Amino acid sequence: MEPIIKLQGINLYYDRGRPTEVWALKDVDLEINKGEYCAFFGPSGCGKTTILYVLSGMESERVSSGQVLINGRDIAKFTKRELAVFRQIGVGIVFQQFNLIPSISVLDNVALPMAFLGISLERRRAEAQKLLERLNIAPYALRLPAELSGGQQQRVGIARALANNPPIIICDEPLGNLDSENANKVLEFMRELNVKDGRTVIMVTHEAWSLRDARKIFYMKDGKILRVEEPKERGDVVQAVSKLMNQQLNPDMDEPQIMAKTLSNMLLRGYSVDEVKRFEFFLLQRLTDHTEGDVFREVLDRPYRSGGVGLWKGKAAKIAFLVEGIMEQRHTVEDIYTMLEKNPESPLIEEVQRMRKWLLEEYTGKVDEQQQLRLDELIAERLRNIITPKNFAQVLNLSKKQFGLGLSMRTANRIAEKFESILGGGENVSPAMKL
Ligand code: ADP
Ligand code: MG
């Protein structure tokens, strides 16, 4: 089947030929298939909004080279009427600033896009009412937008985007002005539009956590698509993106800082920004040996208002244990690298065994002797950089017959990721973390 949207070699300039010229899209190629939930992710100014305009047919004049294909048809060859139809009923767009018309009622804002289709006012209002109901804002139908809260206004924005029942929903940073509860509601609804209605959802954001439902992520920088990743499940997304974001958006951070950030996001998933920030601070202190292990542990379950992180005791103990393990293993890794530098043939037997035990700490399944030996070999190969993080995970997942360990993909990825967490940032990113 043809992709629902395909861009080929797109280049776009603003202010072309003037001193203020900006080369906003550089040789962009991409494919979006029907029913996909995909996302564009990247720092401010990297061209996300511009790309949305291009793929919704709103920037055709400015595109200087390349093709936009909608269901296989070149948009440049659309008649005026066809282009108008595509813009009006092919895509629905949800904006960050809501873009509601302030002087007309919520109901009429939602009914407005249908006017284009020549539907009677009465029917438009009836349809709009249904959409408001679906979004739980029917009681506000006759109010003006300004009388609604931000979260409610965004739901009006979504209802309006759905007005002509478009198969493609585009969201340009729809969560920027919302608190976390409302942001979650919006994301849940987008997921529903994708899963239940089978609509193609295209999400633009610069916040990693809001990518959780995307199964194809285009990572953009300076007008280019740097990477495309297709995470299989939620867990993969958060880790992939937080690591990538820390590396790409904060190139000035050194390794312990990147590590503290990545681990904080991973370990305190679901906690408030303030809690995560405070945790990150103490974690960095600990990772750089500015805090003792027992002080770190104590501060984790000290109440937040008394300067601690405020975790419950069990969680605090578990995290402290994990962090100590990571630190210990990192020292081992440093020792190993020193040894290998002196003698590349160093046997590393004890170090590798210790590392294997640590890697398997949370694994509850049984590991027989043959698997242990195989894992030791793999650890040594990975330490010597003979295999990539991806190979490492793949072999864990391969069946025993194929000389693998026969672990599930999930377990294999988890172990690989744990291993990469001590091998130190830079290029050493695990498969699940790699975008
Ligand atoms: P993002 O949505 O990722 O923040 P944009 O697509 O809005 O990025 O912008 C990409 C680049 O193009 C930026 O450098 C921005 O300043 C520039 N740009 C965007 N719109 C215009 C415009 N109308 N005129 C001139 N430059 C623009
Ligand atoms: Mg933008």
Side-chain angles (χ1 to χ4, degrees):
M1 206 164 57
E2 289 283 355
I4 194 165
I5 297 173
K6 184 169 177 173
L7 304 190
Q8 274 178 326
I10 294 285
N11 282 281
L12 183 147
Y13 298 83
Y14 290 106
D15 296 345
R16 184 136 209 208
R18 277 185 251 153
T20 50
E21 178 177 293
V22 178
W23 188 7
L25 295 180
K26 303 175 182 166
D27 298 317
V28 169
D29 293 314
L30 64 85
E31 288 186 4
I32 296 169
N33 297 309
K34 190 168 182 303
E36 258 172 3
Y37 188 133
C38 66
F40 292 92
F41 172 66
S44 178
C46 70
K48 304 181 297 292
T49 296
T50 306
I51 226 170
L52 293 188
Y53 283 143
V54 169
L55 50 81
S56 54
M58 298 198 290
E59 272 290 10
S60 312
E61 303 80 38
R62 249 196 275 253
V63 171
S64 71
S65 67
Q67 287 186 316
V68 182
L69 302 163
I70 305 296
N71 289 317
R73 282 192 61 217
D74 189 345
I75 210 170
K77 299 195 178 113
F78 279 27
T79 63
K80 264 204 173 129
R81 170 79 193 162
E82 280 174 329
L83 192 58
V85 167
F86 175 66
R87 287 181 192 162
Q88 295 292 335
I89 65 175
V91 292
I93 306 187
V94 180
F95 302 92
Q96 175 176 9
Q97 288 81 15
F98 317 142
N99 291 2
L100 302 174
I101 298 174
S103 56
I104 63 175
S105 72
V106 160
L107 186 72
D108 285 339
N109 262 283
V110 176
L112 194 64
M114 295 180 237
F116 168 82
L117 301 184
I119 298 171
S120 73
L121 181 64
E122 200 182 333
R123 246 196 75 201
R124 286 198 320 253
R125 286 193 166 149
E127 290 296 322
Q129 186 67 34
K130 275 192 217 151
L131 285 168
L132 292 177
E133 272 156 28
R134 183 163 182 193
L135 281 136
N136 279 326
I137 32 170
Y140 305 95
L142 300 178
R143 307 254 185 108
L144 292 176
E147 298 174 69
L148 273 59
S149 73
Q152 290 162 341
Q153 288 187 49
Q154 188 54 300
R155 277 183 269 159
V156 178
I158 296 172
R160 183 191 49 191
L162 290 172
N164 290 326
N165 201 17
I168 305 170
I169 303 290
I170 294 177
C171 306
D172 193 359
E173 313 228 12
L175 313 174
N177 291 325
L178 303 180
D179 58 55
S180 64
E181 195 189 329
N182 279 303
N184 267 315
K185 277 188 196 155
V186 169
L187 284 181
E188 273 311 306
F189 193 70
M190 288 306 149
R191 204 172 98 84
E192 186 185 314
L193 290 177
N194 177 244
V195 177
K196 275 203 196 148
D197 297 11
R199 293 181 215 249
T200 307
V201 171
I202 303 174
M203 174 70 65
V204 161
T205 179
H206 61 262
E207 287 165 295
W209 70 273
S210 58
L211 293 170
R212 64 192 192 196
D213 296 313
R215 292 296 170 269
K216 186 187 260 182
I217 302 173
F218 299 100
Y219 179 70
M220 293 187 70
K221 205 177 173 189
D222 300 331
K224 284 196 204 115
I225 293 183
L226 291 190
R227 286 172 190 271
V228 186
E229 176 74 2
E230 303 192 38
K232 298 230 161 17
E233 49 184 307
R234 268 191 185 186
D236 298 344
V237 180
V238 179
Q239 277 153 31
V241 177
S242 68
K243 177 96 180 188
L244 180 88
M245 184 175 69
N246 295 334
Q247 285 184 348
Q248 302 276 356
L249 303 188
N250 304 304
D252 300 335
M253 291 200 309
D254 59 18
E255 200 210 303
Q257 281 176 308
I258 291 177
M259 200 162 160
K261 222 180 199 3
T262 307
L263 280 173
S264 310
N265 285 326
M266 252 165 77
L267 296 173
L268 263 63
R269 211 170 282 160
Y271 284 75
S272 77
V273 176
D274 291 339
E275 287 163 328
V276 175
K277 281 222 172 103
R278 191 172 286 179
F279 176 69
E280 188 186 321
F281 170 77
F282 289 119
L283 181 58
L284 182 60
Q285 298 292 306
R286 180 70 196 111
L287 289 174
T288 51
D289 268 324
H290 286 88
T291 306
E292 296 294 322
D294 42 358
V295 177
F296 175 66
R297 191 192 159 131
E298 189 271 325
V299 94
L300 290 184
D301 65 5
R302 190 191 296 169
Y304 187 82
R305 65 192 137 69
S306 319
V309 185
L311 304 178
W312 56 280
K313 256 201 154 44
K315 175 109 183 164
K318 206 171 145 194
I319 288 185
F321 178 74
L322 236 150
V323 169
E324 293 316 304
I326 287 177
M327 289 193 58
E328 202 186 306
Q329 296 303 320
R330 267 161 62 85
H331 288 308
T332 311
V333 170
E334 275 165 28
D335 292 345
I336 290 175
Y337 285 161
T338 319
M339 278 159 65
L340 287 176
E341 231 163 76
K342 280 194 209 132
N343 173 17
E345 304 294 310
S346 310
L348 310 177
I349 298 169
E350 271 174 44
E351 292 79 4
V352 165
Q353 286 177 352
R354 236 185 300 147
M355 209 160 267
R356 182 234 304 151
K357 283 187 191 129
W358 174 72
L359 284 177
L360 293 174
E361 239 160 34
E362 291 93 23
Y363 180 62
T364 48
K366 247 180 92 85
V367 183
D368 63 30
E369 203 168 333
Q370 187 201 341
Q371 285 172 308
Q372 287 182 12
L373 287 174
R374 188 72 186 102
L375 183 50
D376 287 353
E377 276 170 23
L378 282 172
I379 293 172
E381 284 170 4
R382 179 72 197 108
L383 285 168
R384 292 192 160 93
N385 223 359
I386 298 170
I387 55 171
T388 65
K390 197 166 175 178
N391 300 146
F392 182 81
Q394 280 164 343
V395 181
L396 294 184
N397 177 235
L398 274 185
S399 70
K400 290 193 208 170
K401 264 195 198 133
Q402 295 169 289
F403 304 104
L405 267 83
L407 301 177
S408 72
M409 197 66 220
R410 212 188 155 87
T411 308
N413 277 332
R414 246 190 224 145
I415 293 177
E417 195 175 284
K418 188 168 176 186
F419 195 12
E420 294 311 311
S421 77
I422 55 167
L423 294 183
E427 285 304 296
N428 288 328
V429 276
S430 79
M433 288 179 165
K434 201 158 188 170
L435 265 190

